[in-house]
Amino acid sequence: MLYYKVWSMAFLTFGIYFFYLGLYFFNVDSVIFCDWEFFSINSCSFVMTLLFDWMSLLFMGSVLLISSMVIYYSYSYMFNDLNVLRFLYLVILFVFSMMFMIVSPNLISILIGWDGLGLVSYCLVIFFQNYKSFSAGMLTILTNRVGDVAILFSISWFLSNGSWHFLYYLHFDFFWYYILLFLLVLAAFTKSAQIPFSSWLPAAMAAPTPVSALVHSSTLVTAGVYLMIRFNSLFKSFDITFLLILSILTMFMSGLGASFEFDLKKIIALSTLSQLGLMMGILFIGSYNISFFHLLTHAFFKALLFLCAGLIIHCMNDSQDIRYMGGLINHFPYTLSAFCVANMSLCGFPFLSGFYSKDLAMEFVQMNTFNFFIYFLFISSIALTVFYTLRLVYFILYGYLGVSSLCLYEEDLIMLTSMIFLVFMGLFAGVFLSWFIFSYPIFIFIPLVLKIIPLILLFFSSIFVYLLNLIYFYEISFGYIYNLIYSFLGGMWFLPSFSTFFLYRPVLNNSIICEDLISMGWGEYIISNCLVFYNNFLSKFNSLLQNNNLKLFFSAFVLFFLFIFI
């Protein structure tokens, strides 16, 4: 398909241009603010605004670079699909919605991009039309609607200022800004799947794998983090410790869930959730720069991870269970090499791109005066990241059971080309961006033990993974207690049940009761059938009167004489 190559090249060209433009804007400290007023009523003006600063341009460049590689990859991946053009147009609409959201300092135009992301993501999740996809799509869009409503409320709240430009008003400490903070955090938490809205993210894996690569790297789930980065000056006026605890708990919960999971795409989805918790946590601790830095580095290696996983699933006869894989390094050497680069970058392996942002984030947490509970959860979550990543590598590369067959599909040049570009970014994006975003060195003074804690975690987690798989931990015990712990820790602390079954079960029961009472009960007799029953009664009475019954004649004669007598 020519369309795929044309759009891929267009996105790649603009992506490189915006990326370098963002670095240039950062160096010369320049901002372009375009304002176009449609009309104004009294003191309220309706405007279309575009903000081009180093942050929006860098993010737009990263999104366009990743989407160009994903579209080029999809040219091969979706080749035999019947709706291949529809898929392309949906992905393009998805990317444009994200672009619109990135460059908007105006809540109205943010809502257009925000809503576009939610609606197009629903269309992409239900692209393969089956019951599982429809259920996942409904869970995704209904959870995101909560955030959309919060944005709508904040728009109406901002109307009292006379403008929707939040950049003009964020530095004033108005007494009602805690309501605005609550609404925006609600919107960001639903879009970035923080606790208690986490269950839609693994469910959205029903979408095609290239879409998952786009959604989980730089578009849908990062929109909430980007919104919080734009509103970061609100946090200075309020105590946001509770929000920090929620994001760190999200990080911890998803790390535990991924350590017990066997679905390849769900493990990578839960790792995305863990990294989103890390970004939110760093943001709430007080550094939006480090959060944005990790957002960019994470986008490249997470897209690469999904593209490699898509090819592996494709070649395993569409089986996503990692227990059926193993020894694949002999079959797909280039893909698995790229997979290892992305995984090691996710771990924070020294001198890969994930290391620069993750190590800086960890040292920033150690420099701040937070209690031991938050510090312990943070450290444990990073150890769990190493654990589930190495477990995934172990199952796919090393442990071979021979119970699943490979199909005849092999690596092709189109898929490998898109992977090679992302491998390059996964290796070098972190160091380049750290030079540019942090143009002067950040002095972090911590003891040697704290400095080498990431390396210690990396080392011990890898040993623990090896020992655990050596003794076949998953096959020892299938008792009741083990299953309860397994389903609690591996099932995201029952959050999917709470956000689906817990909500619709009482509503369903009440609707059945209402159905019995109103549609099939008294309401049917009193409201619907009232006129019918009345006419029926009158017709029966009339027929009884005309039945020539002797008792009726006698009673009528007696009543007639009584009437005359009275």
Side-chain angles (χ1 to χ4, degrees):
M1 294 293 291
L2 184 63
Y3 291 114
Y4 274 81
K5 291 186 177 178
V6 169
W7 278 104
S8 174
M9 283 307 296
F11 279 177
L12 182 64
T13 309
F14 279 104
I16 293 170
Y17 174 69
F18 281 136
F19 201 81
Y20 280 108
L21 203 60
L23 296 177
Y24 173 74
F25 270 48
F26 182 79
N27 281 326
V28 299
D29 198 15
S30 177
V31 176
I32 295 177
F33 197 86
C34 307
D35 213 4
W36 175 32
E37 184 175 327
F38 298 125
F39 58 90
S40 60
I41 301 172
N42 292 336
S43 63
C44 183
S45 57
F46 291 79
V47 291
M48 175 70 223
T49 318
L50 301 176
L51 173 69
F52 296 100
D53 62 345
W54 70 273
M55 194 175 280
S56 60
L57 285 168
L58 261 183
F59 197 21
M60 280 171 68
S62 304
V63 171
L64 285 172
L65 286 173
I66 290 168
S67 53
S68 72
M69 291 300 112
V70 166
I71 288 172
Y72 194 65
Y73 176 92
S74 306
Y75 168 64
S76 174
Y77 189 84
M78 305 292 289
F79 189 74
N80 294 322
D81 200 275
L82 294 174
N83 302 312
V84 66
L85 264 180
R86 182 197 300 171
F87 177 79
L88 175 65
Y89 293 145
L90 282 173
V91 169
I92 292 166
L93 197 58
F94 196 60
V95 173
F96 280 143
S97 297
M98 191 64 193
M99 296 289 110
F100 208 69
M101 193 237 145
I102 289 169
V103 295
S104 298
N106 187 336
L107 276 170
I108 288 283
S109 46
I110 275 184
L111 182 73
I112 298 169
W114 192 270
D115 249 349
L117 283 171
L119 293 172
V120 179
S121 67
Y122 172 69
C123 297
L124 287 167
V125 168
I126 64 166
F127 188 80
F128 296 137
Q129 296 179 5
N130 52 53
Y131 283 114
K132 188 182 175 185
S133 297
F134 291 154
S135 305
M138 286 309 294
L139 179 59
T140 302
I141 196 166
L142 289 176
T143 310
N144 281 310
R145 291 312 288 169
V146 178
D148 298 345
V149 170
I151 291 276
L152 281 168
F153 274 133
S154 58
I155 285 171
S156 60
W157 206 264
F158 248 97
L159 192 61
S160 60
N161 291 336
S163 167
W164 287 296
H165 291 308
F166 58 80
L167 287 181
Y168 297 164
Y169 303 104
L170 285 183
H171 301 284
F172 294 102
D173 187 16
F174 290 121
F175 70 97
W176 48 265
Y177 262 39
Y178 67 93
I179 299 173
L180 179 69
L181 180 70
F182 170 73
L183 290 170
L184 291 169
V185 164
L186 181 63
F189 270 36
T190 51
K191 196 65 90 176
S192 290
Q194 303 295 296
I195 288 176
F197 307 106
S198 303
S199 56
W200 72 264
L201 194 70
M205 287 296 97
T209 310
V211 172
S212 303
L214 204 55
V215 165
H216 285 256
S217 62
S218 56
T219 48
L220 182 68
V221 293
T222 54
V225 180
Y226 184 75
L227 187 75
M228 288 287 96
I229 289 171
R230 282 296 189 199
F231 281 89
N232 69 83
S233 54
L234 271 181
F235 303 147
K236 296 169 187 171
S237 310
F238 302 102
D239 181 15
I240 49 171
T241 315
F242 178 66
L243 303 177
L244 172 64
I245 290 170
L246 280 183
S247 47
I248 299 290
L249 279 175
T250 306
M251 195 178 164
F252 185 64
M253 174 201 72
S254 50
L256 276 176
S259 303
F260 285 89
E261 186 60 61
F262 288 108
D263 189 319
L264 175 57
K265 282 178 76 175
K266 275 196 178 175
I267 291 173
I268 305 174
L270 287 166
S271 79
T272 304
L273 191 54
S274 175
Q275 301 310 304
L276 288 169
L278 173 66
M279 293 171 211
M280 284 286 193
I282 294 297
L283 187 61
F284 291 139
I285 286 171
S287 177
Y288 70 94
N289 267 353
I290 298 175
S291 179
F292 184 67
F293 179 36
H294 189 61
L295 177 65
L296 292 183
T297 53
H298 168 260
F300 290 110
F301 63 74
K302 188 50 61 75
L304 174 61
L305 205 55
F306 265 110
L307 295 189
C308 296
L311 183 58
I312 291 167
I313 292 166
H314 208 46
C315 296
M316 295 297 296
N317 284 325
D318 298 328
S319 167
Q320 296 185 14
D321 199 321
I322 59 172
R323 289 171 293 190
Y324 295 156
M325 299 174 189
L328 296 183
I329 190 71
N330 303 318
H331 301 281
F332 323 115
Y334 298 110
T335 305
L336 267 295
S337 304
F339 188 75
C340 285
V341 167
N343 264 322
M344 291 300 108
S345 191
L346 175 64
C347 282
F349 196 80
F351 311 116
L352 297 180
S353 69
F355 164 76
Y356 289 94
S357 55
K358 213 165 188 181
D359 197 56
L360 190 60
M362 199 164 172
E363 289 174 358
F364 185 74
V365 170
Q366 290 169 345
M367 279 283 287
N368 276 276
T369 53
F370 276 99
N371 57 22
F372 183 72
F373 175 68
I374 287 176
Y375 180 64
F376 173 74
L377 283 182
F378 197 87
I379 294 290
S380 306
S381 306
I382 287 176
L384 282 168
T385 305
V386 180
F387 178 78
Y388 65 71
T389 304
L390 293 177
R391 171 177 172 265
L392 185 61
V393 171
Y394 177 88
F395 269 98
I396 290 178
L397 267 71
Y398 182 70
Y400 182 55
L401 296 174
V403 291
S404 181
S405 61
L406 290 163
C407 68
L408 293 173
Y409 194 84
E410 286 292 336
E411 298 173 329
D412 66 351
L413 191 61
I414 291 172
M415 288 187 177
L416 287 179
T417 307
S418 54
M419 283 180 203
I420 286 166
F421 176 80
L422 290 172
V423 164
F424 177 78
M425 296 302 283
L427 289 171
F428 302 114
V431 64
F432 285 148
L433 287 169
S434 68
W435 290 340
F436 281 106
I437 293 179
F438 305 103
S439 49
Y440 56 93
I442 297 174
F443 183 73
I444 294 179
F445 183 75
I446 50 177
L448 180 65
V449 178
L450 292 180
K451 184 71 180 170
I452 61 171
I453 270 183
L455 286 175
I456 296 169
L457 291 177
L458 198 72
F459 180 67
F460 279 107
S461 297
S462 53
I463 292 174
F464 192 50
V465 168
Y466 181 72
L467 291 176
L468 214 56
N469 286 302
L470 205 63
I471 59 172
Y472 297 104
F473 176 75
Y474 303 106
E475 297 171 15
I476 300 171
S477 166
F478 287 99
Y480 177 73
I481 298 172
Y482 171 75
N483 277 341
L484 180 66
I485 294 170
Y486 182 86
S487 57
F488 174 69
L489 296 178
M492 294 174 66
W493 300 353
F494 304 136
L495 265 182
S497 303
F498 275 111
S499 55
T500 53
F501 188 69
F502 185 72
L503 289 177
Y504 69 66
R505 188 172 180 271
V507 176
L508 189 65
N509 286 345
N510 288 334
S511 65
I512 290 169
I513 292 167
C514 288
E515 172 78 13
D516 285 342
L517 280 177
I518 295 171
S519 296
M520 309 302 293
W522 288 104
E524 188 76 21
Y525 288 104
I526 294 168
I527 299 162
S528 305
N529 292 335
C530 183
L531 195 62
V532 177
F533 279 120
Y534 183 61
N535 285 334
N536 194 12
F537 170 75
L538 286 180
S539 65
K540 282 181 179 178
F541 185 67
N542 191 29
S543 64
L544 186 67
L545 289 177
Q546 296 172 2
N547 204 18
N548 294 330
N549 196 332
L550 199 61
K551 289 179 184 176
L552 283 173
F553 284 130
F554 277 136
S555 56
F557 180 76
V558 171
L559 285 171
F560 181 70
F561 267 98
L562 278 173
F563 181 70
I564 292 174
F565 182 72
I566 291 168

